[in-house]
């Protein structure tokens, strides 16, 4: 079947829903927002800490937030993107609260602000320790109550549509690639439908699921980056993968692995080997309180040296009642798997957490492909540079939803539907019966990425990853041509594409910078010059 919408939004986390609400307000055409599972399931729901914005001008100001972001990004963030996000953030916080999102306030009505690692001031708005779930709840209610937004759950975008589908040769040097919508898998018919759109917006979130262990939900397979890359659009900075140092190690819980917040180290938690020996003194004078990337590297090294699959976080020296009061969620979660954290160590290990790179976009959220925008974690705006400052991602998504809405609303009148686009061709394909071909390959991608393209990299490991991924790529593309499109094979394809992009861009960066750490190039290239 063919559907026609003025605005097609792929993804329904904070980015997709904020954009949809802003477009709906303008009443400039039909809007469809799709998501590949339920509306509830998105990285957004998992965010704990909060959302960064300067809201207390007496103590804080834009320059300080800008400076903190540039330092975290290892000075390769795009200053224009940083300035845009920081300066537009307060207005977008008001927008969120107007849509019904609640942030904790003090008795006098002002926001109860937290301070997180890397922030020089208290500027993190939060809702207890489940800010993301509150944002997702508020936005879901707002979009569900909005009659101008059509929502289609369990609809999977397979490919974006360009001139390529009209038989025109499209290469990475083609200057005027245009997006005409997307091919989308219908869960009821199991057929791929054609969604023609004047404006297409990719809001597909992160790609943590390409690693063996991640704090992201299983849906985070990097579909947006992969679709745009295949369509010959620009994808950038994929080597900058943020690993959270302390995810709970518990067999079978890897997508997502439960996050043990950094606040626990701030509270006095000590990192130890399972034998009880502490180790952070070998790595940084700030010990267990060193920045995220340093702690993640230290743990990774200790696990490799000792051949162990986790280290431990110890809060047994703290007063038991205080621990239970400060960390009720963590206490109960650990208890549910038989660990009383007031008496026993918490088994932890690093997990892939956040993708700083993605689909390259300008200040208005538009990608290198005309009529195609990318917002949220799948986009590379330049804000994060080499490393993300805590709580800067949710705010980035809302600010860019705003600039993209402004820009696309001003342009949509110039576009028409491209009625020449053919239906998805699945002639000669079979229903896939050998599911093991897919599940085994997904496991292999995770192993390759975690072992060779993880926290510490080398030229040798990266080349090995490239060769292994290449083999998987050939096998999977051949399989994709033989079988009817289904969610699993499409996700596998996307994961291989994303794995390849992370690996290739890591090979190209011949320096240690931000989150990219390689034993072959120990210092920044600019320091050597
Ligand atoms: C444990 C955890 C804690 C975090 N804490 C914080 C924090 O405190 N502060 C902060 O700023 N950030 C935090 N983050 C990061 C932040 O949550 C994410 O970067 C942000 O929520 C991403 O929002 P998004 O809208 O881009 O994507 P998501 O919220 O992930 O939404 C993606 C959407 O795309 C859809 N989708 C994907 N592929 C397809 C497809 N092929 N077809 C159709 N639909 C598709 C999905 O169904 C989903 O609806 C945290 C992340 C995690 C995992």
């Amino acid at each position: 079947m063919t559907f026609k919408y003025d605005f097609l939004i792929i993804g329904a986390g904070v980015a997709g829903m904020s954009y949809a609400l802003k477009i709906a307000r303008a009443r400039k055409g039909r809007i469809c927002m799709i998501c590949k599972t339920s509306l509830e399931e998105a990285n957004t729901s998992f965010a704990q800490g909060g959302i960064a914005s300067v809201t207390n001008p007496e103590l804080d100001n834009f320059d300080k937030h800008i400076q903190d972001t540039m330092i975290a990004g290892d000075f390769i963030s795009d200053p224009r993107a940083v300035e845009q996000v920081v300066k537009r953030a307060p207005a977008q916080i008001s927008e969120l609260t107007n849509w019904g999102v609640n942030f904790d306030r003090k008795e006098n009505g002002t926001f109860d602000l937290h301070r997180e690692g890397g922030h020089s001031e208290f500027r993190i708005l939060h809702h207890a320790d489940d800010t993301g779930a509150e944002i997702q709840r508020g936005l879901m209610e707002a979009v569900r109550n909005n009659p101008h937004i059509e929502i289609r759950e369990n609809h999977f975008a397979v490919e974006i549509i360009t001139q390529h589908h009209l038989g025109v040769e499209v290469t990475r040097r083609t200057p005027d690639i245009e997006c005409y919508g997307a091919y989308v898998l219908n869960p009821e018919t199991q057929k791929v439908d054609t969604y023609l759109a004047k404006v297409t917006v990719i809001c597909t979130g992160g790609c943590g699921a390409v690693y063996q262990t991640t704090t992201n939900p299983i849906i985070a397979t990097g579909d947006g980056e992969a679709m745009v890359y295949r369509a010959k659009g620009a994808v950038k900075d994929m080597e900058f993968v943020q690993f959270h140092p302390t995810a709970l190690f518990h067999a079978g819980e890897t997508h997502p692995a439960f996050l043990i917040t950094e606040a626990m180290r701030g509270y006095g938690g000590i990192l130890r080997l399972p034998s009880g020996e502490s180790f952070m003194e070998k790595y940084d004078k700030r010990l267990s309180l060193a920045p995220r990337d340093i702690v993640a590297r230290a743990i990774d090294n200790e696990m490799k040296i000792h051949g162990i699959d986790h280290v431990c976080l110890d809060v047994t020296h703290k007063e038991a009642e205080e621990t239970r009061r400060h960390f009720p969620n963590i206490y109960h979660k650990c208890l549910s798997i038989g660990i009383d954290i007031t008496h026993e160590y918490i088994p932890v290990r690093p997990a892939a957490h956040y993708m700083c790179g993605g689909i390259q976009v300008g200040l208005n959220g538009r990608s290198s492909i005309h009529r195609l925008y990318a917002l949220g974690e799948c986009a590379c705006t330049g804000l994060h540079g080499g490393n993300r400052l805590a709580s800067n991602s949710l705010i980035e998504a809302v600010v860019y939803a705003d600039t993209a809405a402004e820009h696309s609303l001003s342009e949509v009148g110039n576009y028409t539907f491209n009625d020449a686009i053919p239906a998805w061709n699945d002639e000669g394909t079979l229903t896939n019966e050998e599911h093991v071909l897919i599940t085994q390959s997904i496991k292999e991608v995770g192993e390759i990425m975690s072992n060779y393209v993880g926290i510490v990299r080398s030229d040798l490991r990266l080349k090995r990853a490239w060769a292994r991924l290449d083999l998987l790529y050939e096998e999977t593309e051949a399989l994709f041509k033989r079988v009817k499109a289904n969610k699993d094979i499409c996700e596998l394809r996307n994961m291989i594409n994303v794995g390849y992009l992370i690996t290739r861009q890591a090979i190209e960066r011949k320096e240690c910078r931000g989150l990219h750490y390689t034993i072959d190039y120990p210092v920044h290239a600019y320091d050597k010059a």
Side-chain angles (χ1 to χ4, degrees), residues 80-274:
R80 295 166 315 148
V82 177
E83 190 180 338
Q84 170 162 280
V85 170
V86 167
K87 292 192 171 168
R88 287 189 176 220
Q92 295 315 309
I93 294 291
S94 304
E95 186 87 308
L96 285 173
T97 56
N98 290 339
W99 285 327
V101 175
N102 297 306
F103 296 113
D104 288 356
R105 291 179 187 265
K106 295 192 208 153
E107 274 178 9
N108 65 7
T110 59
F111 290 120
D112 175 37
L113 300 175
H114 281 176
R115 182 172 160 187
E116 289 183 335
H119 288 271
S120 56
E121 294 295 345
F122 286 76
R123 66 168 74 97
I124 314 300
L125 290 86
H126 64 99
H127 179 272
D129 62 354
D130 59 0
T131 311
E134 169 59 15
I135 292 178
Q136 190 78 3
R137 181 208 60 74
L139 295 180
M140 280 189 316
E141 255 179 59
V143 295
R144 280 188 174 131
N145 290 331
N146 192 312
H148 305 288
I149 302 170
E150 275 184 49
I151 302 168
R152 297 197 174 186
E153 292 175 279
N154 300 307
H155 280 63
F156 187 96
V158 178
E159 294 290 12
I160 57 164
I161 302 171
T162 67
Q163 300 90 314
H164 164 78
H165 297 96
L166 294 168
V168 177
E169 194 194 3
V170 175
T171 70
R172 291 199 189 282
R173 278 184 294 278
T174 306
D176 52 358
I177 308 176
E178 286 207 324
C179 177
Y180 306 119
Y183 288 117
V184 177
L185 188 63
N186 181 326
E188 274 146 34
T189 60
Q190 284 301 312
K191 290 211 174 328
V192 177
D193 293 324
T194 308
Y195 281 61
L196 296 180
K198 291 182 183 166
V199 169
T200 305
V201 189
I202 300 211
C203 309
T204 47
C207 56
V210 303
Y211 285 90
Q212 248 174 343
T213 307
T214 174
T215 61
N216 296 185
I218 190 82
I219 60 161
T221 48
D223 300 349
E225 289 95 323
M227 284 190 286
V228 170
Y229 182 71
R230 285 197 296 268
K232 311 286 187 254
V235 178
K236 196 171 174 274
D237 288 354
M238 296 290 284
E239 68 274 32
F240 297 124
V241 182
Q242 189 174 66
F243 287 83
H244 197 288
T246 56
L248 179 65
F249 172 71
H250 177 51
E253 273 186 33
T254 50
H255 296 78
F258 185 80
L259 194 71
I260 305 290
T261 164
E262 259 150 349
M264 203 139 215
R265 285 183 282 127
Y267 171 67
I270 299 168
L271 286 162
R272 298 186 186 281
L273 295 173

Side-chain angles (χ1 to χ4, degrees), residues 14 50-54 65 85-86 88-93 96 125 135 383-384 390-401:
V14 61
I51 181 163
S53 173
V54 174
H65 191 182
V85 170
V86 167
R88 287 189 176 220
Q92 295 315 309
I93 294 291
L96 285 173
L125 290 86
I135 292 178
L383 172 75
H384 307 301
S391 289
N392 258 0
S393 37
L394 292 168
I395 196 65
E396 177 195 41
V398 206
V399 167
Y400 272 81

